Amino acid sequence: MFYIYCPYCGEHREEEEFHPKGQAHIERPKNPEACSDEEWGDYLFFRDNPRGVHHELWVHAVGCRKFFNVTRHTVTYEILETYKMGDQPSITADSQNQVAAASRQEGVRA
Amino acid sequence: MQRYSGFGLAKHALSHHENWERQWRNPTPKKQYDVIIVGGGGHGLATAYYLAKEFGVKNVAVIEKGWLGGGNTARNTTIVRSNYLWDEAAALYEHAMKLWEGLSQDLNYNVMFSQRGVLNLGHTLQDMRDIQRRVNANRLNGIDGEVLDAKGVQELVPIMDCSSRARYPVMGASWQPRAGVARHDAVAWGYARGADAHGVDILQQTEVTGFKIRDGQVYGVHTNRGDIEAKTVGCVAAGNSSVLAKMAGFNLPLESHPLQALVSEPLKPILDTVVMSNHVHGYISQSDKGDLVIGAGIDGYNGYGQRGSYPTVEHTLQAIVEMFPIFSRVRMNRQWGGIVDTCPDACPILSKTPVKGLFFNCGWGTGGFKATPGSGHVFAASLAKGEMHPIAEPFSMFRFHSGALIDEHGAAGVAH
């Protein structure tokens, strides 16, 4: 059971109020007519499916009904942050790796 | 391989069943094979079995990071059917169904395939129109099927609430008598034993960490037990297919989701068929052990954690109790999740890839178990010849660029 912080309501609510809506930050091609079959197929069907940090779109379906973004780990299911539409994530797979690498480094020194 | 028979059982009784041969070896990896299969679930083991038995490729390794059939093979609800709408999908699943019908004999291993029939319920007029269309399409493809009205359903399953009092009254169903259930562990074990007997090396607790690729041609894999070489590599890794594809440098149109299932405490025999409903969204059968085997839809978010959320379990059981008020006080015993690789058109991917010699068999989503023999058979044929088998041909990963999708959401999208 997730306990999700809606950045618009400013509150934690139970998972049942929300629906996951797939990968976040997908941009529709500006000029679909100019797309090749590969570009259009990639836009329609190909999604990131990482085993690790993932950015996804959720909707507060029975709350404020607004869409927002969630950064979540797909193995531990830990929610790392939630942020509003149009914002960029402060936690990414790269930043997580750097944190992990840094803590390993400290471990070596100690 | 030690063949199993009634006589053998009696003979081993004399030595108190202490001298049975191990079902498969635990070999040390060789440096080189003709074909490597990545993934030791049902589909991977079936592929190896048919490669060695029917296509004469015996120098084969199956590489499995955990243990045999420890993933979705042992986490599904064991339903087998072939009533798919489109010709391409019907051909694939019916090919599997025909193999199921002789599988226990072929493997000399009791997979407990029980053709007890599957009901797919309709609760709305549109459901019934879709059912009629699908059953007619099935019949044109030589697949058995009947359309039943509510009375016919009630006669088959007297304990189901087919009255007009229900929130979503049962209006009818499609009925495939040849469909049924099988014992999923036995399928993995039977294929593993058969493949091993034909000389296949089954390497458990061996994890692929990368592919060896030169000039766009695969020539082996890196594993935690050293490098293993082969010019042909088939990946059959279900939920982890995207991770493998990324190692090989391309993307697949897959999303991995948890799919949960649960079993109840054992009951005396009460339900002798399989009941599935897309509309109230749940499916149920009773195992030979007596427990009710229950499943429904995926958890909506991506996940690799082999577990899902509690609300999904609750929705599943609401649907079951809606159909079977008699089960309202049955207690649930165990609950688990598997990681299913869902494809945008609810059909699998059996395909060549941008890397030469590297083949993928994935995207089975929520309904791969029923296809295990057929999937293994056509994939083995494709690996042996280096060209996709005619039944597998339409399931290319490149269909998501050409637009030739096989939209099975009607027959497959939800309930399996």
Side-chain angles (χ1 to χ4, degrees), chain B residues 107-278:
Chain B
L107 294 175
N108 180 233
Y109 205 98
N110 187 5
V111 298
M112 295 167 73
F113 181 48
S114 158
Q115 291 176 294
R116 57 183 69 181
V118 167
L119 283 166
N120 291 84
L121 301 180
H123 300 265
T124 65
L125 277 176
Q126 188 57 47
D127 275 0
M128 292 314 297
R129 289 185 199 112
D130 290 342
I131 282 171
Q132 268 163 4
R133 181 186 179 204
R134 182 160 48 75
V135 168
N136 284 327
N138 290 160
R139 288 182 162 200
L140 289 172
N141 278 318
I143 297 167
D144 60 324
E146 281 172 52
V147 180
L148 302 179
D149 58 9
K151 198 164 153 278
V153 175
Q154 187 77 83
E155 275 168 24
L156 271 173
V157 190
I159 57 167
M160 187 157 56
D161 182 6
C162 294
S163 70
S164 55
R165 290 188 306 273
R167 173 73 181 84
Y168 300 101
V170 174
M171 297 183 73
S174 75
W175 167 241
Q176 190 187 13
R178 280 163 71 236
V181 292
R183 172 145 191 237
H184 45 196
D185 298 316
V187 174
W189 298 336
Y191 273 123
R193 172 169 165 269
D196 182 85
H198 285 99
V200 172
D201 278 2
I202 297 168
L203 311 170
Q204 299 183 69
Q205 297 184 341
T206 308
E207 184 170 0
V208 169
T209 52
F211 292 96
K212 300 169 85 162
I213 297 168
R214 193 192 299 130
D215 303 329
Q217 158 80 43
V218 71
Y219 68 100
V221 294
H222 302 290
T223 77
N224 58 349
R225 292 169 76 184
D227 292 3
I228 305 175
E229 295 198 345
K231 289 248 160 47
T232 304
V233 178
C235 293
V236 200
N240 281 300
S241 297
S242 298
V243 179
L244 285 174
K246 196 146 202 167
M247 286 179 195
F250 58 90
N251 287 322
L252 290 169
L254 301 176
E255 287 192 286
S256 297
H257 290 274
L259 175 62
Q260 300 185 79
L262 53 163
V263 294
S264 73
E265 58 191 341
L267 307 174
K268 293 216 168 158
I270 188 164
L271 182 63
D272 63 358
T273 183
V274 183
V275 179
M276 315 178 70
S277 167
N278 276 8

Side-chain angles (χ1 to χ4, degrees), chain B residues 35-118:
Chain B
V35 176
I36 291 173
I37 311 287
V38 183
H43 290 238
L45 293 165
T47 306
Y49 172 74
Y50 291 116
L51 261 178
K53 184 179 168 247
E54 288 200 14
F55 302 101
V57 186
K58 299 197 187 283
N59 190 21
V60 177
V62 177
I63 301 181
E64 165 57 47
K65 73 173 175 178
W67 65 95
L68 296 187
N72 295 349
T73 302
R75 290 164 188 270
N76 59 72
T77 45
T78 80
I79 299 168
V80 175
R81 61 187 176 92
S82 63
N83 53 354
Y84 279 70
L85 176 66
W86 298 104
D87 293 352
E88 296 87 351
L92 181 57
Y93 291 102
E94 182 60 15
H95 183 57
M97 180 62 88
K98 291 204 172 105
L99 289 168
W100 274 115
E101 288 176 328
L103 194 60
S104 289
Q105 292 297 324
D106 183 33
L107 294 175
N108 180 233
Y109 205 98
N110 187 5
V111 298
M112 295 167 73
F113 181 48
S114 158
Q115 291 176 294
R116 57 183 69 181
V118 167

Side-chain angles (χ1 to χ4, degrees), chain A residues 15 42 49 51 72 74 77, chain B residues 240 242 302 304 307 309:
Chain A
E15 177 184 344
D42 284 350
N49 190 20
R51 196 184 165 96
R72 197 173 55 87
T74 58
Y77 294 176
Chain B
N240 281 300
S242 298
N302 286 26
Y304 285 86
R307 64 188 185 283
S309 293

